[in-house]
Amino acid sequence: MTETPAVPVSVPVVPVPVVPDGVSQFEVFHVREGAFGAQGSGDTSGFGGLVELMHMPEPTLRPYGGWFDEVADELELSLTARGIDPSSAIEKVVVDSDEISFFIRRDLLVGVLSALRDEPGLRFEFSSGVSGVHYPNDLHREFHAVYHLLSITHNRRIRVEVTAPVGDPHIPSSVGVYPTNDWHERETFDLFGIVFDGHPVLTRILMPDDWPGHPQRKDYPLGGIPVEYKGATIPPPDQRRSYNS
């Protein structure tokens, strides 16, 4: 009896992702593979072996440059004068695209915002809004709330960012410091499910009161209905092949 020679099986080799210089392994929250994020079908693009690390920005080291150092110094001095430890309140500072962002512990948010508003050397009198972001794979900090502040006195803009886990999506309300954030926090609550503790009337602002879920979460089903054309039918969004991740 003649044995049939074994046919070698081609096993695709997926490159091991390499953490770039200056990026902490703890800041990596997702590994994206392939060019288009499609799964469950053959890859005809030739880019299926691509691997990209999705990570949060790393802290920027001093000096930040320009007036950024002045703002950081003033904020640290003001927090110290208010009995708040700056090293505890400020998780990190990121300078990118000519913008400065302060990542703040959520339980100390109101005190930091008060210092930014009232300190004469800072005077960020106006908050232009609160933006919600959902990173499903950023464990224990899936929700981000971003505050965009403007100093009319000094003609400067900064960003303040706080995080909360999906299992405890609570962030102190900033309405007592910036009343203009009233409806912005309601919108972020409506679309992301972030609960702003202490908000005067935290109700939905866009969706009906009995609407299930929060539509701008990344895990929210797209829904929709199929669209019919001559000789073809396009399925609803949540049933289509994915070309991006």
Side-chain angles (χ1 to χ4, degrees):
M1 180 175 179
T2 305
E3 294 185 359
T4 304
V7 178
V9 178
S10 177
V11 178
V13 177
V14 178
V16 177
V18 178
V19 179
D21 293 337
V23 175
S24 169
Q25 183 71 50
F26 298 103
E27 294 287 346
V28 177
F29 62 88
H30 183 58
V31 178
R32 179 183 295 173
E33 299 179 9
F36 305 107
Q39 297 178 354
S41 61
D43 176 18
T44 60
S45 67
F47 295 99
L50 292 179
V51 177
E52 180 183 7
L53 293 179
M54 312 299 294
H55 61 86
M56 290 297 166
E58 288 292 308
T60 302
L61 301 178
R62 294 255 199 171
Y64 303 137
W67 53 265
F68 293 161
D69 291 281
E70 180 182 342
V71 168
D73 291 339
E74 289 285 349
L75 178 58
E76 291 179 3
L77 290 173
S78 179
L79 292 178
T80 302
R82 295 165 182 262
I84 302 175
D85 181 9
S87 63
S88 177
I90 304 174
E91 295 179 342
K92 65 178 178 180
V93 179
V94 175
V95 175
D96 185 61
S97 300
D98 204 27
E99 293 182 336
I100 186 168
S101 301
F102 294 89
F103 287 74
I104 306 300
R105 273 181 48 187
R106 58 173 171 166
D107 56 316
L108 298 176
L109 172 65
V110 174
V112 173
L113 292 180
S114 298
L116 288 168
R117 182 193 64 181
D118 298 335
E119 181 65 34
L122 299 171
R123 293 298 291 159
F124 288 93
E125 308 99 329
F126 178 63
S127 174
S128 60
V130 183
S131 303
V133 190
H134 182 206
Y135 297 100
N137 297 313
D138 191 15
L139 298 181
H140 309 303
R141 51 183 186 181
E142 290 86 356
F143 292 123
H144 291 228
V146 185
Y147 302 78
H148 311 270
L149 307 183
L150 166 66
S151 171
I152 302 174
T153 300
H154 302 291
N155 190 26
R156 296 169 174 172
R157 293 182 183 271
I158 65 171
R159 298 169 70 256
V160 171
E161 189 162 341
V162 296
T163 65
V166 68
D168 181 27
H170 290 264
I171 293 175
S173 174
S174 61
V175 173
V177 181
Y178 295 108
T180 53
N181 285 348
D182 188 338
W183 283 19
H184 294 283
E185 289 185 353
R186 286 181 59 192
E187 181 179 11
T188 304
F189 161 72
D190 190 357
L191 299 180
F192 290 92
I194 299 176
V195 180
F196 293 93
D197 296 328
H199 188 283
V201 188
L202 192 63
T203 58
R204 289 190 181 270
I205 193 173
L206 298 175
M207 310 302 293
D209 291 339
D210 59 350
W211 189 268
H214 304 278
Q216 286 197 349
R217 288 190 180 187
K218 295 292 179 62
D219 54 4
Y220 187 84
L222 296 177
I225 60 175
V227 180
E228 295 184 2
Y229 298 93
K230 284 187 177 181
T233 300
I234 304 299
D238 58 350
Q239 298 178 20
R240 300 176 190 170
R241 173 176 171 174
S242 172
Y243 288 94
N244 52 52
S245 56

